[in-house]
Amino acid sequence: MPRAIRLGVIGAGSATFSVGLVRDICLTESLAGSSVVLMDVDRERVETMHRFAVRYAGELGAKVSFEWTTEREAALREADFVINTAQVGGHTQVERLRAWSEARGYYRGFRLKDCLQVRMMVSVVRDMERLCPGAWLIQASNPVFEGCTAMTRATGIKVCGLCHGHTGYYEIAEVLGLDESKVKAQVAGFNHEVWLTNFEYEGRDAYPLIDEWIETKSEQYWSDYHPHYGQNQMSRAAVELYKLTGLFPIGDTPRRGGWWYHTDLETKKRWYGAPLGGFDSEIGWAMYLQELEKRVQRIHHAAHDLSVRLTHEFKPRITGEQHFPLIDALVNDNEVTLQVNVPNRGAIEGIPGNVVVELPAVCSHRSIQPLQIGKLPEVLMLTHLYPRLLEAEHVVALSLHPDERVLMRMLLDDHRTKSWEEAVRFAREIMSLPEFAEMAGDIVRPRHGFDS
Amino acid sequence: MPRAIRLGVIGAGSATFSVGLVRDICLTESLAGSSVVLMDVDRERVETMHRFAVRYAGELGAKVSFEWTTEREAALREADFVINTAQVGGHTQVERLRAWSEARGYYRGFRLKDCLQVRMMVSVVRDMERLCPGAWLIQASNPVFEGCTAMTRATGIKVCGLCHGHTGYYEIAEVLGLDESKVKAQVAGFNHEVWLTNFEYEGRDAYPLIDEWIETKSEQYWSDYHPHYGQNQMSRAAVELYKLTGLFPIGDTPRRGGWWYHTDLETKKRWYGAPLGGFDSEIGWAMYLQELEKRVQRIHHAAHDLSVRLTHEFKPRITGEQHFPLIDALVNDNEVTLQVNVPNRGAIEGIPGNVVVELPAVCSHRSIQPLQIGKLPEVLMLTHLYPRLLEAEHVVALSLHPDERVLMRMLLDDHRTKSWEEAVRFAREIMSLPEFAEMAGDIVRPRHGFDS
């Protein structure tokens, strides 16, 4: 008989995420009888989401109960599962920190926020050790790679990161004009740094089809097409990353790649298409935030307007996100292969066991069992996975044990940093920002202070 | 009874190295009866060194025989030991390549030469597999780190790299005013990236003495003192590296450190002292080459002038280099602890087993047995050893399996590279230089060519 669960959702005020979550749990019949505690520090937002959830479940007649709270402990106590979708300070803080670092010469900002996110994630699993030590933590908000690595190193809580970026290969199939139902693929690496390790069409290697497209059609595609900000999968940057590594980058992977795609807006346009310059340019990102805000407003209006039939406005369709398939597999043994982020423990050769990797895994009542990936191409390791791992180790170390020396190396490794003195000044200024006050309280500094 | 050996010396035309070698073997009585084959592609130089060696041994009455050759095979055949001190193309080539990359915006050059050196080293051990598969290869010329790592991965030849840089802690003792005979130290890491893991004075931790010197005397020292180009051990850069890592950098280590010490001559002067700007500035390096040339001339004149008594001009003193103590330990079981470069195999935690590390080892007839170093400070790993290892892996990979994609990443990781297009152009130009013709013949390029 299916077993109901108690689920805590941290950061449930995130309207877009929570709407999907409400839909999915209401539609997962084997989880009927479950109770969900929606938690957010923003009382108004979480109360709104609670209204939405209760009405939505009511319209569907789904046997799922919802509570809300602003206290994290209330969401964790006796939970079987915790989904963490929280973003410290929300987009407002991200944009404030971005503007602050842009004023210091870091176009589109220095990734300061990651450490704050990772520290928040670690504090959640530390609370779980007290309040629900046997529960699973499912990490939804970014950075999944560094966050899951830090959480699994800092505590014994069972952690799995989930992301939908690996489905990006469908976009490849679409652009290539392939019938999606005949495509098979496997994707592995680190979250937001995943690579198409296997690509088949009608049972045969389909990489030659990509090569043919690059040779005969890509230039035409790039000159005709002015992609939406979210469409980076077949960008010039993605193809160049394929040339550089031997495997095609998937999902969010081409958004990043390396400093050389991101030096200024013109360069971004060259690699990600004009006029937007991709997801992460000042134009693309502003559009994303705008659309996000519109969706949030739409959800909030609907939640408060009792004349709206929610299941008409937000159709009861499974989202395709992996959270409830994973929970259902772990709880009810509905075995399924999902794309997960868990400690490597030998699945990918050459990556230490305590680094969280993204790869397919068979999920069932037994546990999450990653498929052995083995050896990835050496050139991929050298040009992308090792450099990315080093960056991640810096973020993880700085988050778990704040140290000005590690922060200095991160700044000095940034291609935009022009001198030692600039890095010293920037490191000091960062740690005097109010956002970093708690972290600065813990920070280790060299005995004699840096020379400036 | 002591056993004589047959020793091949590759690159024996290097006058300064060979003079030391001749002195040391003539003075190592337990190796009496040994024969040495001096090999160099420069016939004149090697013949000169041969004259020098024969006369020097004659004056001392040492029972060591010397031959010379320009054929590598003749030096390897039936050798028990091979010392490789060769530098492909000599200093002339280094300076030509440096000038070439400086003209493209790389101040003091891009480290192009390393791959040529590593390929030469690997070709030597490959020849040894045919001609003297049981012999030891002792690597003297640079880069020892990348070279030894590549050689041990490419063949089964026993390899040990030697360097004298680890003795730099004596200079610390001297500047601190300590009695050298009461100092004990241990040094570990990668060659030219070694760190003072242990420092004792009169049996007690002497790091507090360094800290005190930094706090109370260093500024005075740096303002009073205008160091010789070779004196980088107590430079401002060295102290800053200590602050950044928690351990003091030793020997050649502070010469490198990070791009931020080397952006221009003024910056070099700030970190390595005025007016020279350290060993590797245009001024320091020119002085070094000048003094080197003077020593070479002096040796050549002496070798050809029969009226000179060589043992008066070049006193018969043991140099302190480790080559013959190592050989003597391996052959005659005269056990000694030396600073060696051998595959890690677990000696330093967190470094893969097939990476060559520098550390103390007990050397005897049994073999070379490194001392277990264990865990180095995490901050040292994150700020220096891991970043340096990634650079080395690029050089090793590029040398063993030339690949334009790895070369691209090396160029893109260089803080002086300003754009993707610049890297593409530079990579192409490098591989069309005559020096790289042989390497370019083997190189793998991406199927579709890079976008430029």
Side-chain angles (χ1 to χ4, degrees):
Chain A
M1 199 195 122
R3 191 164 73 80
I5 59 157
R6 184 170 172 85
L7 167 68
V9 182
I10 309 297
S14 161
T16 47
F17 183 83
S18 291
V19 164
L21 181 141
V22 168
R23 285 199 285 192
D24 283 350
I25 192 167
C26 288
L27 295 170
T28 305
E29 283 177 24
S30 49
L31 293 173
S34 293
S35 65
V36 180
V37 185
L38 303 170
M39 179 268 158
D40 202 290
V41 291
D42 186 325
R43 183 194 180 103
E44 197 195 319
R45 283 182 168 236
V46 71
E47 219 184 325
T48 300
M49 278 320 303
H50 180 252
R51 276 169 189 267
F52 182 99
V54 170
R55 280 179 54 205
Y56 201 90
E59 289 182 21
L60 285 178
K63 288 192 191 108
V64 183
S65 73
F66 292 93
E67 298 167 69
W68 69 269
T69 176
T70 58
E71 301 298 322
R72 187 197 286 175
E73 297 206 348
L76 302 184
R77 197 165 289 122
E78 290 168 37
D80 303 301
F81 289 87
V82 177
I83 296 179
N84 186 353
T85 176
Q87 189 173 57
V88 180
H91 283 290
T92 322
Q93 195 193 66
V94 174
E95 295 312 311
R96 195 168 56 237
L97 288 173
R98 192 200 303 280
W100 183 86
S101 31
E102 283 210 315
R104 280 149 189 83
Y106 292 81
Y107 171 62
R108 300 301 295 144
F110 182 75
R111 300 177 73 217
L112 299 168
K113 249 309 279 294
D114 284 357
C115 292
L116 299 180
Q117 280 292 107
V118 173
R119 285 171 72 80
M120 174 274 292
M121 296 179 204
V122 170
S123 80
V124 169
V125 284
R126 287 212 168 114
D127 282 353
M128 288 174 66
E129 286 196 308
R130 280 187 300 118
L131 299 165
C132 53
W136 274 93
L137 183 284
I138 300 175
Q139 185 60 44
S141 56
N142 287 316
V144 166
F145 177 18
E146 285 92 346
C148 292
T149 299
M151 287 190 283
T152 49
R153 289 186 190 174
T155 73
I157 293 293
K158 291 171 287 188
V159 169
C160 178
L162 295 180
C163 178
H164 50 233
H166 64 283
T167 58
Y169 64 84
Y170 284 122
E171 206 177 323
I172 304 181
E174 195 192 322
V175 172
L176 263 51
L178 306 180
D179 174 353
E180 281 184 17
S181 70
K182 295 175 183 165
V183 169
K184 270 186 75 180
Q186 209 165 77
V187 170
F190 307 132
N191 183 243
H192 288 201
E193 183 81 31
V194 282
W195 305 84
L196 190 61
T197 52
N198 183 262
F199 187 47
E200 289 174 39
Y201 189 61
E202 297 183 319
R204 292 161 71 176
D205 181 16
Y207 258 108
L209 302 178
I210 298 181
D211 291 329
E212 196 196 327
W213 180 84
I214 293 172
E215 268 156 43
T216 61
K217 297 189 182 143
S218 61
E219 286 298 338
Q220 195 60 43
Y221 175 83
W222 294 322
S223 73
D224 288 352
Y225 195 55
H226 299 290
H228 176 254
Y229 63 81
Q231 292 171 309
N232 301 288
Q233 182 58 72
M234 295 307 275
S235 60
R236 204 182 275 273
V239 167
E240 211 63 15
L241 282 166
Y242 166 44
K243 293 183 198 168
L244 202 52
T245 62
L247 293 183
F248 216 87
I250 297 298
D252 299 282
T253 312
R255 283 174 55 191
R256 187 179 170 121
W259 62 266
W260 53 91
Y261 304 118
H262 303 286
T263 46
D264 52 31
L265 182 58
E266 281 315 302
T267 305
K268 279 180 180 279
K269 285 181 186 172
R270 158 159 155 61
W271 291 109
Y272 298 96
L276 302 190
F279 205 154
D280 302 283
S281 80
E282 49 270 53
I283 306 174
W285 191 253
M287 285 181 66
Y288 164 68
L289 290 184
Q290 218 167 25
E291 288 187 24
L292 196 65
E293 188 51 32
K294 265 191 226 159
R295 286 211 298 277
V296 169
Q297 290 307 326
R298 185 170 152 247
I299 293 162
H300 278 235
H301 287 148
H304 287 280
D305 183 348
L306 295 177
S307 72
V308 171
R309 190 161 170 82
L310 294 179
T311 45
H312 281 189
E313 276 288 305
F314 303 91
K315 299 284 184 231
R317 275 196 298 262
I318 287 285
T319 61
E321 291 281 351
Q322 304 181 107
H323 307 85
F324 291 101
L326 173 62
I327 292 172
D328 196 32
L330 290 168
V331 169
N332 295 317
D333 206 23
N334 285 322
E335 188 166 309
V336 62
T337 298
L338 300 172
Q339 185 80 1
V340 301
N341 290 268
V342 293
N344 185 42
R345 297 203 186 99
I348 301 179
E349 260 184 63
I351 304 290
N354 66 352
V355 171
V356 165
V357 293
E358 179 169 320
L359 72 192
V362 174
C363 305
S364 71
H365 197 67
R366 289 186 301 270
S367 189
I368 295 174
Q369 298 181 289
L371 303 191
Q372 191 74 22
I373 299 297
K375 208 167 162 54
L376 294 176
E378 192 63 13
V379 69
L380 173 66
M381 303 300 282
L382 289 166
T383 61
H384 281 80
L385 293 188
Y386 288 143
R388 180 69 188 89
L389 177 56
L390 184 55
E391 284 181 20
E393 290 290 359
H394 287 160
V395 171
V396 169
L398 195 56
S399 304
L400 292 176
H401 309 290
D403 191 314
E404 199 182 17
R405 299 170 294 180
V406 176
L407 176 58
M408 279 297 289
R409 182 80 214 196
M410 283 172 69
L411 286 165
L412 291 164
D413 282 346
D414 192 297
H415 225 78
R416 297 165 297 186
T417 302
K418 295 288 168 271
S419 68
W420 169 264
E421 291 75 9
E422 199 178 288
V424 171
R425 197 166 53 240
F426 196 44
R428 279 187 198 148
E429 287 179 358
I430 292 170
M431 285 302 138
S432 63
L433 290 174
E435 287 87 345
F436 289 86
E438 185 255 338
M439 200 169 148
D442 289 352
I443 206 165
V444 172
R445 291 197 156 91
R447 199 191 302 240
H448 312 281
F450 286 124
D451 203 313
S452 57
Chain B
M1 196 196 124
R3 191 166 75 80
I5 59 157
R6 182 170 174 85
L7 167 68
V9 183
I10 309 297
S14 161
T16 48
F17 183 84
S18 292
V19 164
L21 181 142
V22 168
R23 287 199 285 193
D24 283 351
I25 192 167
C26 288
L27 295 169
T28 305
E29 284 177 23
S30 48
L31 293 174
S34 293
S35 64
V36 180
V37 185
L38 303 171
M39 179 268 160
D40 202 290
V41 291
D42 186 324
R43 183 193 180 103
E44 197 196 319
R45 283 183 167 234
V46 72
E47 217 183 327
T48 301
M49 278 321 303
H50 181 253
R51 276 168 190 269
F52 182 98
V54 170
R55 280 177 54 205
Y56 201 89
E59 289 181 22
L60 284 178
K63 289 194 190 103
V64 184
S65 73
F66 292 94
E67 299 166 68
W68 69 268
T69 177
T70 58
E71 301 299 320
R72 188 198 284 175
E73 296 206 350
L76 302 184
R77 199 165 288 119
E78 289 168 39
D80 303 301
F81 290 87
V82 176
I83 297 179
N84 186 353
T85 177
Q87 190 174 56
V88 180
H91 284 289
T92 321
Q93 194 193 66
V94 174
E95 295 312 311
R96 193 169 56 236
L97 288 173
R98 193 200 304 281
W100 184 86
S101 30
E102 282 210 316
R104 279 148 190 85
Y106 293 80
Y107 171 63
R108 301 300 295 142
F110 182 75
R111 301 177 72 217
L112 299 168
K113 247 313 277 290
D114 284 357
C115 292
L116 299 181
Q117 280 291 108
V118 173
R119 285 171 73 80
M120 174 274 292
M121 296 180 202
V122 170
S123 79
V124 169
V125 285
R126 289 213 167 115
D127 282 353
M128 287 175 67
E129 286 196 309
R130 280 188 299 120
L131 299 165
C132 53
W136 274 93
L137 184 282
I138 300 175
Q139 185 59 43
S141 55
N142 287 317
V144 167
F145 176 19
E146 286 92 346
C148 292
T149 299
M151 287 189 284
T152 50
R153 289 186 191 173
T155 73
I157 294 292
K158 292 172 287 186
V159 169
C160 178
L162 295 179
C163 178
H164 50 234
H166 64 283
T167 59
Y169 64 83
Y170 284 123
E171 205 176 323
I172 304 180
E174 195 192 321
V175 172
L176 263 51
L178 307 180
D179 175 353
E180 281 183 17
S181 70
K182 295 174 182 167
V183 169
K184 270 185 75 180
Q186 209 165 77
V187 170
F190 306 131
N191 183 245
H192 288 201
E193 183 80 31
V194 282
W195 305 85
L196 190 62
T197 51
N198 183 262
F199 188 46
E200 290 176 37
Y201 189 60
E202 296 182 320
R204 291 162 68 177
D205 181 18
Y207 257 109
L209 303 178
I210 298 181
D211 291 328
E212 196 195 328
W213 180 84
I214 293 171
E215 268 156 41
T216 62
K217 296 188 183 144
S218 61
E219 286 297 339
Q220 195 60 46
Y221 174 83
W222 293 322
S223 73
D224 287 352
Y225 195 55
H226 299 292
H228 176 254
Y229 63 82
Q231 292 171 310
N232 301 289
Q233 183 59 73
M234 295 307 273
S235 60
R236 204 183 275 273
V239 167
E240 212 63 14
L241 281 167
Y242 165 44
K243 293 183 198 168
L244 202 51
T245 62
L247 293 182
F248 216 87
I250 297 299
D252 299 282
T253 312
R255 283 173 55 190
R256 187 178 169 121
W259 62 266
W260 52 91
Y261 304 118
H262 304 286
T263 45
D264 53 31
L265 182 58
E266 281 314 301
T267 304
K268 280 181 179 278
K269 285 182 185 173
R270 158 159 156 60
W271 292 109
Y272 297 97
L276 302 190
F279 204 154
D280 303 283
S281 81
E282 49 270 53
I283 307 175
W285 191 254
M287 286 180 66
Y288 164 68
L289 290 184
Q290 217 166 27
E291 287 188 24
L292 197 65
E293 187 52 32
K294 265 191 224 156
R295 286 211 298 278
V296 169
Q297 290 306 327
R298 185 168 154 250
I299 292 161
H300 278 235
H301 287 148
H304 288 280
D305 182 349
L306 295 176
S307 71
V308 172
R309 192 162 166 81
L310 293 178
T311 46
H312 281 188
E313 276 288 307
F314 303 90
K315 299 284 185 230
R317 275 195 299 261
I318 286 286
T319 61
E321 291 282 352
Q322 304 181 107
H323 307 85
F324 292 101
L326 173 62
I327 291 171
D328 196 31
L330 290 168
V331 170
N332 295 318
D333 206 24
N334 285 322
E335 187 167 310
V336 61
T337 298
L338 299 172
Q339 185 81 2
V340 301
N341 290 269
V342 292
N344 185 42
R345 297 204 186 97
I348 301 179
E349 260 184 64
I351 304 288
N354 67 351
V355 171
V356 165
V357 293
E358 178 169 320
L359 71 192
V362 174
C363 305
S364 71
H365 197 68
R366 287 186 303 272
S367 189
I368 296 175
Q369 297 180 291
L371 304 190
Q372 191 74 21
I373 298 297
K375 208 169 160 54
L376 293 176
E378 192 63 13
V379 68
L380 172 66
M381 303 299 282
L382 288 167
T383 62
H384 282 79
L385 293 189
Y386 288 144
R388 180 69 188 87
L389 176 56
L390 183 56
E391 283 180 20
E393 290 290 359
H394 286 161
V395 171
V396 170
L398 195 56
S399 305
L400 291 177
H401 309 288
D403 190 314
E404 198 181 20
R405 301 169 295 180
V406 176
L407 176 58
M408 280 297 290
R409 182 78 214 198
M410 283 172 70
L411 286 165
L412 292 163
D413 282 347
D414 193 298
H415 225 78
R416 298 165 297 186
T417 303
K418 296 289 167 269
S419 69
W420 170 265
E421 291 76 10
E422 199 178 288
V424 171
R425 198 165 50 240
F426 196 45
R428 280 188 198 149
E429 288 179 359
I430 291 170
M431 285 304 136
S432 64
L433 291 174
E435 288 87 346
F436 290 87
E438 186 256 339
M439 199 168 150
D442 290 353
I443 206 164
V444 171
R445 292 197 156 92
R447 198 190 304 238
H448 312 282
F450 287 124
D451 203 312
S452 55

